[in-house]
Amino acid sequence: MSATHVRAQVASFAAAPVLGVAVAVAAVLTALSGRYGFHRDELYFLVAGDHPAWGYVDQPPLTPLAARLSTAVFGDSPAGLRVVATLACAATVVTVAAVARELGGGRAAQVLAAACTAVSGFVLAVGHLVSTATFDMLAWVVVCWLLLRLLRTGDRRLWLAVGAALGVGMQNKYLVALLALALLAALLATGPRHVLRGWWPLAGAAVALAVALPSLWWQAAHGWPQLTVAGGISADDGAENRVLFVPQQIVFLSPVFVPVWIAGGLRLWRDPALRWARAFVPAYLLLAVVVVVSGGKPYYCLPLLLVLLAAGCVASVSRPRAMWPAVAVTAVISALISLPVLPPGAVGAVNGVNKEQGEQIGWPQLADAVADAWSAVPAADRPRAVVFAQNYGEAGALAHYGPARGVPAPYSAHMSFADWGPPPDSATGPVLLVRQREADGLEQYFTDCRQVGSVDNGHDVGNEEQLAAVVLCAAPNAPWSQLWSWLRHYY
């Protein structure tokens, strides 16, 4: 089949209804964006955005930059911060509809693909919060859409656009390189291989490298700390991630959508008219193997599932009586699990499924507990005193909420906060330490420690900081410049 003939078979893009779905999900996300409060990662991104750099120990610069831009334009609040996440989610919905179009979907299939994406639990979860996964998901589906268009049309000039999308994605999260490698291996194994010939693919790779180079250079200059972080994630959560991989592949989008994306994979693999797109099936399987073996997060595979879902929507559109009720049921369930629709006191009902819900509750209360303890530090001691937080969520909360409560800028040795410290050696104490309840081993680095307070989020939500300890220590047991390398941790 010639490229010209294939191009003629593609339906026009259903712009109005697809954009209507995107606007609807954006409206829901906007309406709920101010509930609960900041997530611990968002508080970290806010501080990182105030320390602009080409990289951080645990991520490239795009997400902190987006956080800084969004709050500068829309206000320093959860609602202002999350505008960029809302826009990224809406763009993801539109792009998946465009993927369905490339795979032969007409108007109805494109709208169905957009709707299934918009109500999927994980898509809503990362669309509500600013996270690296928010922009990573968008980058992956854009790369997939561009590659599908290249494969369908045979226009190898699109390698430049694919490379640009990969480069931008790598400025957000290096994980997108795994997508590129999986797709490359699948194309070599199943074809069409002719799109890999000539200098256009090399030019696309050069564009990707050029765009990503500043961040990669930063990582290389700092000893590739991202690899240390990834190793820590695998060591801490790898076994759990392997056990949960299959269940989470089922629930990420929606259990009722599983037959749709399975049908989509079978369609890509079996349909002679889509032989040019079959590489996406082994690419997903290969990526799944890599994620399981490495102990990575199961959601890493989600964007390729969205491609299979789009392919399945083309086949499922002939059964609207089954599909649209499934979309409605999924919308209700996903909203309860992924969005802040419940009263804060009821979050415990869904926190076991989506713990990120609980991580948006209790940060002002943590700052209140630290402020109460700080007020008890004698005024004569405060010039030498230090507020030290165990992790970046606590430090981010104190950086955001502390000034209004009279709490000085916090220090932490967690992730990139370690690069923004240590305190001066002249800060000989006292040290006001905030730590999670079970992390009492941290006190070995200080002298004469006693707990003077604890954190209560006021809603009995069992998140990571509920009942966190506020501990007053007389002094560090060594100068901060010596202590810092012992305190520094990446996970």
Side-chain angles (χ1 to χ4, degrees):
M1 185 178 290
S2 68
T4 302
H5 181 61
V6 174
R7 189 180 298 115
Q9 302 305 307
V10 177
S12 60
F13 185 59
V18 167
L19 289 175
V21 173
V23 169
V25 73
V28 171
L29 291 173
T30 299
L32 296 173
S33 62
R35 285 179 57 81
Y36 296 175
F38 291 108
H39 185 275
R40 67 167 57 246
D41 291 353
E42 292 177 321
L43 291 164
Y44 176 42
F45 297 143
L46 289 174
V47 181
D50 290 333
H51 294 81
W54 278 115
Y56 304 89
V57 298
D58 50 343
Q59 64 196 316
L62 192 147
T63 297
L65 179 63
R68 184 178 187 184
L69 175 65
S70 195
T71 52
V73 175
F74 300 106
D76 190 12
S77 66
L81 170 67
R82 292 167 179 165
V83 171
V84 288
T86 297
L87 293 175
C89 183
T92 298
V93 168
V94 173
T95 305
V96 175
V99 167
R101 174 178 179 264
E102 293 298 324
L103 295 174
R107 183 183 183 89
Q110 295 171 35
V111 175
L112 181 59
C116 288
T117 303
V119 302
S120 296
F122 186 80
V123 174
L124 287 176
V126 301
H128 169 61
L129 301 174
V130 172
S131 69
T132 54
T134 306
F135 306 106
D136 194 48
M137 179 173 62
L138 176 58
W140 280 49
V141 296
V142 168
V143 168
C144 291
W145 167 62
L146 289 170
L147 182 59
L148 283 167
R149 188 167 181 81
L150 185 157
L151 295 174
R152 179 181 64 82
T153 64
D155 185 356
R156 285 182 286 176
R157 294 174 297 181
L158 285 168
W159 279 118
L160 298 179
V162 172
L166 281 170
V168 172
M170 289 184 68
Q171 287 284 20
N172 173 69
K173 201 169 186 177
Y174 299 122
L175 190 64
V176 73
L178 282 182
L179 172 66
L181 293 174
L183 288 170
L184 176 61
L187 284 172
L188 288 171
T190 65
R193 300 179 186 88
H194 68 86
V195 297
L196 299 173
R197 297 173 188 151
W199 65 274
W200 284 109
L202 296 176
V207 170
L209 180 60
V211 175
L213 186 60
S215 177
L216 293 172
W217 187 276
W218 189 96
Q219 284 286 324
H222 291 78
W224 298 100
Q226 182 85 65
L227 297 179
T228 303
V229 174
I233 292 173
S234 179
D236 281 5
D237 302 328
E240 180 182 359
N241 291 338
R242 294 182 185 98
V243 170
L244 293 178
F245 182 84
V246 172
Q248 290 193 357
Q249 295 304 287
I250 293 172
V251 304
F252 271 150
L253 303 183
S254 168
V256 299
F257 291 164
V258 172
V260 180
W261 59 258
I262 290 178
L266 293 174
R267 177 172 174 256
L268 291 180
W269 188 251
R270 294 175 177 175
D271 191 342
L274 291 175
R275 186 175 181 84
W276 52 270
R278 69 187 310 190
F280 279 81
V281 177
Y284 169 75
L285 296 175
L286 176 60
L287 184 64
V289 170
V290 171
V291 170
V292 170
V293 171
S294 65
K297 302 290 186 181
Y299 71 78
Y300 292 168
C301 297
L302 176 71
L304 279 177
L305 273 188
L306 290 174
V307 173
L308 303 185
L309 180 72
C313 285
V314 179
S316 302
V317 74
S318 60
R319 301 189 296 274
R321 291 184 179 179
M323 284 306 303
W324 287 108
V327 170
V329 170
T330 297
V332 173
I333 296 173
S334 295
L336 289 172
I337 294 173
S338 303
L339 298 178
V341 297
L342 295 173
V347 167
V350 297
N351 210 37
V353 179
N354 177 18
K355 69 175 184 178
E356 312 309 332
Q357 290 276 57
E359 294 305 313
Q360 302 169 65
I361 294 172
W363 298 112
Q365 289 84 354
L366 182 145
D368 287 339
V370 174
D372 287 344
W374 177 257
S375 66
V377 175
D381 292 342
R382 291 182 184 180
R384 303 185 309 276
V386 170
V387 175
F388 183 82
Q390 172 204 347
N391 63 55
Y392 66 58
E394 298 160 349
L398 293 174
H400 186 81
Y401 296 109
R405 293 164 169 79
V407 177
Y411 291 89
S412 178
H414 188 209
M415 296 298 187
S416 281
F417 263 98
D419 294 327
W420 308 325
D425 285 343
S426 58
T428 55
V431 177
L432 191 60
L433 169 66
V434 55
R435 59 163 176 81
Q436 292 174 335
R437 179 173 51 173
E438 71 281 3
D440 54 358
L442 192 59
E443 290 159 36
Q444 66 181 301
Y445 299 104
F446 306 96
T447 61
D448 298 329
C449 296
R450 58 187 177 88
Q451 185 168 339
V452 294
S454 64
V455 176
D456 184 352
N457 57 47
H459 300 287
D460 198 29
V461 175
N463 57 24
E464 292 188 26
E465 305 304 330
Q466 178 67 339
L467 303 181
V470 182
V471 178
L472 184 63
C473 303
N477 59 20
W480 288 105
S481 58
Q482 297 179 23
L483 203 59
W484 209 240
S485 62
W486 303 336
L487 291 170
R488 180 162 203 164
H489 60 115
Y490 295 92
Y491 36 85

